[in-house]
Amino acid sequence: MTVACVRTITPVLHIKPQLISLVSKPKTKTQQSCSVFVSSVVMSYDKELAAAKKAAALAARLCQKVQKTLLQSDVQSKNDRSPVTVADYGSQALVSFALQREFPYEPFSLVAEEDSKHLHKDGTQETIDRITRLVNETLASDGSYNVSTLSNEDVLRAIDGGKSEGGSQGRHWVLDPIDGTKGFVRGDQYAIALALLDEGKVVLGVLACPNLPLASIAGDYKHSSENEVGCLFFAQVGAGTYMQSLNGSSPVKVQVSAVENPEEASFFESYEAAHSMHDLSSTIAKKLGVKAPPVRIDSQVKYGALSRGDGAIYLRLPHKGYREKIWDHAAGSIVVTEAGGIVTDAAGNPLDFSKGKYLDMYVGIIVTNQKLMPVLMKAVRESLEEKASSL
Ligand SMILES: Nc1ncnc2c1ncn2[C@@H]1O[C@H](COP(=O)(O)O)[C@@H](OP(=O)(O)O)[C@H]1O
Ligand SMILES: [Mg+2]
Ligand SMILES: [Mg+2]
Ligand SMILES: [Mg+2]
């Protein structure tokens, strides 16, 4: 919105005082009816952010419980052979249920990774029962939604509340109920990632990272895992990025690393070599003179850790043919950009979340601070060209 009349704005529209500009001579009829004009307005998503934090923290509680006692029967394989667990389903049901409860009078649209298709197959009754039990136990332990026990049907309906296709119009929640399911199953890092799109743009993001230490993981990731764990990152457009403990400590503002010399930068990449070409990122790191070995972590925890400066670069270079989904990057990208970082594809374009479930983009996702981006982008381009010419 470029010019708007303040009197027409609904109460949820919060206009930052510094953005209000008075125009001395209104030119159009609409403008004449307004006493004050603004050159730019910023929506406040405070209510939505509070609801998203609450929903993600609730889902994290369910996931933590399951991860402690994960049974072989809790893990299933989807059509693309990727794993899904009772916690992925339970987390999605909880977030979907909580958001619908928080905003009962608003249209609800959720683009989420899971659906109940596999749960309608033969032999899944026990799994459904277990998911429903987990959801009910978590809601009861929280107490704030004042619900009587949900049935299996309620839970399946909540999971399928996430079937929206998203797009460039209106508002859509975007959820990865467990990002890094492979890490979750291994007992490692994972995140509950929830974002809100408004007119195709990510306007808020929350990352619950139950296994991420509150202290920096720079340098010695393995040993730092003995520190207190459980972080909640959150960001709202124009309002910065904050981190608090999942146990509810006061939030602290975070900033990406200020490192300018690539030799001093450390970089994150996927733990899974099938998700990102480790050999290519190693070529890029060599070109830059990066000395530290790569820090390999599952999920959008990488975005969270980067937003607080634990590392300065995140390289995601999927193998040919892979299509990135919006729920794998929506929350993480705003957490990093609001902390002062940049997130682009390997051609330097910003990520476009307005095209539905998939990110329509040039291969690769590159994340770093403003200072390092030009040299990093150069190294990425050169390495991609060398790889292409060697084939
Ligand atoms: N072949 C592939 N290439 C790139 N990403 C992949 C992939 N297969 C799965 N993924 C995605 O990688 C995500 C995990 O990210 P990371 O590699 O950073 O740990 C997975 O999220 P889920 O675990 O939610 O399915 C999944 O969406
Ligand atoms: Mg998955
Ligand atoms: Mg994911
Ligand atoms: Mg997932």
Side-chain angles (χ1 to χ4, degrees):
M1 199 185 301
T2 47
V3 178
C5 171
V6 171
R7 270 184 270 149
T8 64
I9 294 165
T10 62
V12 291
L13 199 60
H14 167 72
I15 303 162
K16 294 215 163 155
Q18 70 271 25
L19 295 174
I20 298 180
S21 67
L22 293 169
V23 178
S24 55
K25 261 195 166 182
K27 293 190 178 74
T28 67
K29 269 194 173 168
T30 321
Q31 286 171 334
Q32 279 162 10
S33 67
C34 300
S35 55
V36 182
F37 299 97
V38 290
S39 57
S40 172
V41 289
V42 174
M43 298 281 288
S44 166
Y45 298 94
D46 290 347
K47 241 175 30 169
E48 290 78 4
L49 182 60
K53 285 172 65 182
K54 190 171 162 189
L58 203 59
R61 211 184 282 185
L62 181 149
C63 297
Q64 282 167 301
K65 186 172 177 178
V66 175
Q67 199 185 34
K68 274 191 203 136
T69 58
L70 195 71
L71 309 169
Q72 192 54 47
S73 58
D74 287 337
V75 185
Q76 299 175 344
S77 197
K78 296 199 278 189
N79 286 348
D80 61 359
R81 296 208 305 244
S82 65
V84 61
T85 72
V86 290
D88 296 67
Y89 290 123
S91 168
Q92 182 156 324
L94 271 180
V95 172
S96 169
F97 174 82
L99 292 176
Q100 291 184 67
R101 270 294 168 112
E102 294 283 346
F103 305 104
Y105 305 113
E106 292 175 23
F108 181 68
S109 172
L110 172 67
V111 188
E113 182 183 0
E114 310 302 343
D115 61 53
S116 74
K117 214 171 43 234
H118 285 266
L119 298 171
H120 292 291
K121 289 184 178 158
D122 289 344
T124 53
Q125 192 56 46
E126 260 180 50
T127 305
I128 301 173
D129 291 344
R130 175 142 156 80
I131 297 165
T132 301
R133 213 165 38 244
L134 284 164
V135 169
N136 281 322
E137 283 166 7
T138 313
L139 286 171
S141 73
D142 176 68
S144 60
Y145 288 108
N146 196 19
V147 275
S148 53
T149 312
L150 299 185
S151 66
N152 284 353
E153 288 65 39
D154 295 332
V155 169
L156 292 172
R157 210 174 305 120
I159 292 170
D160 287 333
K163 276 187 176 165
S164 165
E165 291 292 321
S168 60
Q169 284 168 8
R171 289 186 177 189
H172 308 278
W173 292 101
V174 179
L175 171 70
D176 197 333
I178 292 189
D179 184 36
T181 305
K182 287 182 178 167
F184 177 78
V185 171
R186 223 189 294 114
D188 282 345
Q189 297 294 335
Y190 66 98
I192 293 99
L194 178 60
L196 180 65
L197 296 185
D198 195 354
E199 303 295 308
K201 299 267 185 269
V202 183
V203 294
L204 71 83
V206 173
L207 286 180
C209 308
N211 288 343
L212 181 67
L214 286 166
S216 170
I217 57 163
D220 195 359
Y221 170 51
K222 289 285 174 237
H223 286 99
S224 61
S225 64
E226 283 153 26
N227 293 331
E228 192 191 337
V229 296
C231 303
L232 185 69
F233 294 89
F234 59 94
Q236 183 181 164
V237 63
T241 298
Y242 292 81
M243 184 194 78
Q244 67 187 73
S245 143
L246 263 176
N247 294 334
S249 62
S250 331
V252 288
K253 199 164 201 278
V254 294
Q255 278 288 308
V256 294
S257 156
V259 164
E260 293 182 27
N261 180 354
E263 288 185 22
E264 292 162 20
S266 68
F267 77 93
F268 295 121
E269 63 182 346
S270 289
Y271 181 94
E272 298 287 337
H275 294 184
S276 189
M277 292 184 273
H278 289 170
D279 53 344
L280 190 56
S281 41
S282 142
T283 309
I284 294 165
K286 257 192 221 124
K287 264 187 201 294
L288 287 170
V290 170
K291 293 209 173 80
V295 181
R296 294 185 175 141
I297 318 183
D298 301 279
S299 83
Q300 287 169 72
V301 163
K302 292 186 279 296
Y303 284 106
L306 197 135
S307 78
R308 66 180 190 189
D310 294 7
I313 297 169
Y314 167 22
L315 293 172
R316 185 177 192 85
L317 303 156
H319 297 269
K320 205 164 182 270
Y322 183 75
R323 292 180 78 191
E324 295 282 3
K325 326 292 189 310
I326 58 172
W327 52 73
D328 279 324
H329 302 284
S333 67
I334 190 167
V335 161
V336 163
T337 54
E338 283 298 322
I342 313 184
V343 181
T344 71
D345 69 12
N349 304 309
L351 305 186
D352 181 355
F353 291 92
S354 73
K355 297 278 162 60
K357 275 206 264 207
Y358 293 99
L359 280 171
D360 186 15
M361 54 176 281
Y362 186 74
V363 58
I365 293 180
I366 316 296
V367 187
T368 189
N369 64 24
Q370 316 256 352
K371 287 275 163 54
L372 283 173
M373 189 49 107
V375 274
L376 176 60
M377 194 51 73
K378 183 167 174 283
V380 168
R381 277 202 192 119
E382 286 172 10
S383 305
L384 283 170
E385 277 162 20
E386 283 164 21
K387 188 173 167 67
S389 61
S390 73
L391 295 175

